[in-house]
Amino acid sequence: TTNAPAWSGPYGPGGAGSAAGGVPAIAPQESGRRTNLRSMRKAELLRRWVQGAIPNLAPGTFTSSSLDASAASRGVLSASAALKPCLKYMAERIGSADDAGALRLFLPVMRLIEGVLGRLFLEGARKNDGRDINNEKEGDALRSSCIKFLEIVVLCFSNKALPGAAGSQAARMKKDASQANDFSLEDLPPGHPIITRENLEEIGEYAFSTLRGLVLLGGQAEIDPNLLLAAAASSSVGNEFMGGGSSPFQQILSIIKPAALAFLKVESNAEKAGAESGDKDSFILNRSNIELGFGLSQKSYSLSINAVQMLATKRPVFFKESSICLARRTMDPPGGLSGDAEGLLTKAAVTGIRTHLRSSCLTLLRNFLSVTSGCWEALADALNASGMKAQADRALQASRQQLNLMKGGR
């Protein structure tokens, strides 16, 4: 008779399940010790991962602007990959009543987020010089990486289901999100004195408004230089964290909030001008009066559109605002009526962006949420204005059929 092999890993033989194979079961105390050891090693790995990315985000890593942007791009890519695992670990620690363990990783993660947002919004204030087309093109790879990171921040710092959604819808959203290795605020246990859902949700909402602004304006609306200088002066990246006694949330909000409010002001003025014209649903945006802090190239613009579209489908709470944003930009696309080159966009890039916008509107119109949220009219009008009435009618019919099937299956 052959004996079963005694499987052994880096932490010794297996648990109680291996006793049938001739290996004695592990005592509960030893099992708990090994679990704690694995958790400590995981925390240390994540902490070093984050702290290894932070120096790349510090401005002035290289004197050459192209090398500095290249190093920062690597830091942003590392931050994008590290954010979800770090948040999941913090949620585990909070759920195990280890508030101090969660906080030890939380502080470097907040510095990481602050560093990425600083490279996206504070470059003009730090350089304090003019920007031309060539410099914009050199930094486009960095800007594109930062926009992708901004999408991940919104995804993690928001809720999966609509407030007050039915249990079946909430369960379905949770199931779909888990298959995509998702993380949201529902996964964060309450009770921590510092890491709260409300503070993280505030960051997520401002980040989402900023993404909408990038799509609707084709760049970032000009931010008050005094606010930028204050945010750049208080930035903790490369220095001791939480300098001046400010909280980690305030450091991030000092960057993302002015960027969001700059767009929201433009949006409010356009809606007000539309209401004064006699049509309450009209949106009149005078682009000649809008100053941009930076413009988007085709790559970064496409990433912004993809981000808004993805957030609409993954986070129903953002569906209506995302749909209206894409519909408005589709009706007032880059290049105007002629489709000529605009800003950093060549004529071919303008054509590609216009096609991308129409495709995104059509995709959202096919979703049953376009009917339940009441934004199907805006999407259909945008497609009709683009000469896609037949496609819009078929998409709307498909979304209504999908909704009827869902209601009939209850």
Side-chain angles (χ1 to χ4, degrees):
T1 305
T2 57
N3 294 328
W7 301 109
S8 179
Y11 303 101
S18 62
V23 180
I26 301 174
Q29 284 185 336
E30 177 64 13
S31 178
R33 185 189 70 82
R34 293 179 181 180
T35 300
N36 291 335
L37 182 61
R38 282 193 293 268
S39 178
M40 290 172 59
R41 289 179 175 176
K42 182 178 180 181
E44 184 64 17
L45 177 63
L46 290 172
R47 189 179 64 82
R48 293 192 180 190
W49 185 0
V50 171
Q51 291 186 336
I54 290 175
N56 293 309
L57 300 171
T61 303
F62 293 96
T63 54
S64 169
S65 60
S66 59
L67 291 177
D68 185 63
S70 177
S73 296
R74 294 174 183 266
V76 176
L77 292 175
S78 181
S80 300
L83 185 57
K84 285 184 182 179
C86 289
L87 291 172
K88 289 182 178 181
Y89 178 80
M90 286 187 281
E92 291 175 5
R93 291 295 86 206
I94 296 174
S96 302
D98 183 10
D99 291 352
L103 192 61
R104 278 194 295 270
L105 183 59
F106 172 75
L107 295 178
V109 168
M110 291 295 103
R111 283 188 65 192
L112 188 72
I113 297 174
E114 178 193 349
V116 176
L117 296 181
R119 295 312 299 252
L120 180 59
F121 297 111
L122 301 183
E123 289 300 285
R126 285 167 175 164
K127 292 178 181 178
N128 196 25
D129 58 5
R131 291 185 296 275
D132 55 47
I133 294 296
N134 292 328
N135 287 337
E136 291 283 3
K137 287 183 177 179
E138 285 181 3
D140 184 60
L142 173 59
R143 186 172 297 121
S144 299
S145 301
C146 291
I147 290 173
K148 185 63 180 177
F149 179 82
L150 200 62
E151 172 192 333
I152 298 173
V153 168
V154 179
L155 197 65
C156 293
F157 293 173
S158 57
N159 295 302
K160 292 176 184 174
L162 286 166
S168 59
Q169 181 185 354
R172 183 174 62 255
M173 290 300 301
K174 186 174 182 180
K175 180 180 178 181
D176 294 343
S178 64
Q179 293 175 353
N181 194 27
D182 201 0
F183 181 90
S184 71
L185 291 180
E186 287 95 337
D187 300 321
L188 184 69
H192 197 282
I194 297 177
I195 309 173
T196 63
R197 294 181 181 181
E198 292 76 15
N199 287 331
L200 296 178
E201 187 175 17
E202 184 179 12
I203 295 174
E205 289 176 350
Y206 282 127
F208 176 66
S209 296
T210 303
L211 276 175
R212 288 196 301 117
L214 293 177
V215 171
L216 197 57
L217 303 180
Q220 172 59 46
E222 186 71 35
I223 307 172
D224 186 348
N226 294 326
L227 295 176
L228 287 178
L229 290 172
S234 64
S235 176
S236 63
V237 178
N239 305 313
E240 290 298 323
F241 188 65
M242 294 173 64
S246 60
S247 72
F249 294 110
Q250 290 302 321
Q251 296 280 76
I252 295 174
L253 288 175
S254 67
I255 300 174
I256 192 67
K257 187 175 180 179
L261 293 180
F263 161 68
L264 292 175
K265 181 180 178 181
V266 173
E267 184 182 44
S268 177
N269 291 337
E271 290 175 346
K272 183 179 178 181
E276 291 175 350
S277 67
D279 184 359
K280 64 177 183 179
D281 296 326
S282 179
F283 187 80
I284 301 178
L285 188 64
N286 188 357
R287 298 185 180 274
S288 61
N289 296 334
I290 300 175
E291 295 184 7
L292 297 180
F294 60 83
L296 299 180
S297 68
Q298 183 177 10
K299 179 182 178 181
S300 51
Y301 210 149
S302 297
L303 285 172
S304 301
I305 296 172
N306 283 336
V308 172
Q309 178 187 336
M310 187 278 298
L311 289 169
T313 55
K314 292 287 185 181
R315 297 291 183 264
V317 68
F318 294 137
F319 189 92
K320 185 172 183 178
E321 289 181 303
S322 298
S323 300
I324 292 176
C325 170
L326 291 171
R328 285 172 173 173
R329 190 51 168 156
T330 302
M331 297 186 74
D332 182 19
L337 296 175
S338 60
D340 293 332
E342 178 180 303
L344 297 176
L345 301 175
T346 63
K347 187 171 183 178
V350 166
T351 302
I353 294 297
R354 292 159 76 108
T355 303
H356 194 173
L357 287 167
R358 293 194 293 267
S359 173
S360 297
C361 288
L362 193 62
T363 301
L364 294 182
L365 185 57
R366 289 195 188 102
N367 195 306
F368 73 95
L369 290 173
S370 64
V371 179
T372 58
S373 64
C375 62
W376 64 269
E377 270 188 280
L379 293 169
D381 289 343
L383 292 170
N384 292 343
S386 303
M388 298 178 63
K389 186 178 186 306
Q391 295 93 323
D393 291 340
R394 287 195 294 268
L396 182 58
Q397 183 181 4
S399 63
R400 286 173 172 166
Q401 288 176 350
Q402 182 184 10
L403 183 61
N404 291 333
L405 288 173
M406 292 174 59
K407 290 181 178 180
R410 290 179 182 175

